[in-house]
Amino acid sequence: MINHLQTDNRSKLEERLPTPQIVAAAADLTQHILDSLPDRLAHSRGVACHAQFLTLTVGPHQAPLLVAAAWLHDIGYAAALRETDFHPLDGARHLRAIGWPPPVCNLVAHHSGARFVAPVLQLDRELDDYPFSEDPVSDALTVADQTTGMHGEAMTTDERMSDMLERHGPDSANARAHPQREPYLRAAAVRVAGRLDSIGVHTELAAIAA
Ligand SMILES: [Fe+2]
């Protein structure tokens, strides 16, 4: 279809299309690493699917980065990658070790407000090896994760947070970090909803910002 477009339109359209290689590589690597964790793989696939939709809220050249990071964000749960037992950090360390671009490693390290959980685990200095940037890509990754359940199903942010607190338990690092992390998760959802609203996409607002 692209071949039939005028040259000007073609270049504009190609700019909007994710470069497939990094996304395909991320999907392949995630499926390989999470092969023995089918629920976690289903969740990662669901997050990547949500992130694909949320590429509407990031710059065209950042779309592949967002979707690739969405695929990879939870690989640190794999037993083979476990070093610190803090999955955002373990995933980012593995990706850095095998040569993935720093922006991907940084997004994985900081997805869903990991910087609020790291101090509870006394891993904040280790996480500082990965710069955090609060921007449309990190917002979209966090919202995609926080609106996807453990089997890849769509959830509201409230449902997801309740589920997380129930699964991890009241004494978990996630529960102890929750008072600091929750405002960030909600603010990211509101920012993403605003970006969708600004381009006339209103259907997901209630589900995302609820
Ligand atoms: Fe996740």
Side-chain angles (χ1 to χ4, degrees):
M1 188 167 68
I2 292 174
N3 291 335
H4 299 294
L5 296 173
Q6 299 284 333
T7 307
D8 285 354
N9 288 338
R10 176 178 167 166
S11 61
K12 281 178 189 164
L13 187 59
E14 284 179 338
E15 258 183 28
R16 290 291 303 179
L17 291 172
T19 306
Q21 288 87 346
I22 192 170
V23 175
D28 279 353
L29 182 61
T30 302
Q31 289 171 91
H32 173 70
I33 289 176
L34 295 181
D35 183 50
S36 61
L37 299 173
D39 283 353
R40 188 60 57 182
L41 178 56
H43 165 76
S44 300
R45 187 177 288 115
V47 174
C49 186
H50 277 184
Q52 183 71 51
F53 170 69
L54 293 178
T55 58
L56 290 168
T57 67
V58 306
H61 62 289
Q62 293 173 313
L65 171 65
L66 169 60
V67 181
W71 268 109
L72 293 162
H73 78 286
D74 272 352
I75 58 169
Y77 277 113
L81 272 56
R82 212 170 277 164
E83 268 183 42
T84 66
D85 246 358
F86 185 38
H87 79 275
L89 183 58
D90 289 343
R93 283 180 168 183
H94 179 74
L95 291 169
R96 178 184 276 179
I98 62 174
W100 277 70
V104 176
C105 304
N106 298 342
L107 281 166
V108 168
H110 285 280
H111 75 268
S112 289
R115 69 191 185 284
F116 298 102
V117 183
V120 176
L121 296 168
Q122 299 184 321
L123 289 168
D124 37 333
R125 290 177 66 180
E126 286 81 353
L127 196 66
D128 283 347
D129 281 346
Y130 300 86
F132 172 68
S133 172
E134 187 179 292
D135 58 29
V137 180
S138 62
D139 281 349
L141 176 59
T142 286
V143 170
D145 189 24
Q146 293 302 313
T147 53
T148 304
M150 283 304 96
H151 309 285
E153 71 279 24
M155 296 180 114
T156 66
T157 302
D158 272 339
E159 289 170 337
R160 178 72 160 81
M161 286 191 290
S162 299
D163 176 66
M164 176 271 295
L165 292 171
E166 196 178 312
R167 275 186 296 108
H168 291 271
D171 296 326
S172 66
N174 277 356
R176 283 184 281 153
H178 194 61
Q180 290 75 41
R181 185 165 80 139
E182 181 184 9
Y184 164 71
L185 298 179
R186 291 191 182 283
V190 169
R191 286 192 293 270
V192 169
R195 289 178 191 121
L196 287 172
D197 194 44
S198 72
I199 56 169
V201 180
H202 310 294
T203 54
E204 297 289 318
L205 286 178
I208 287 174

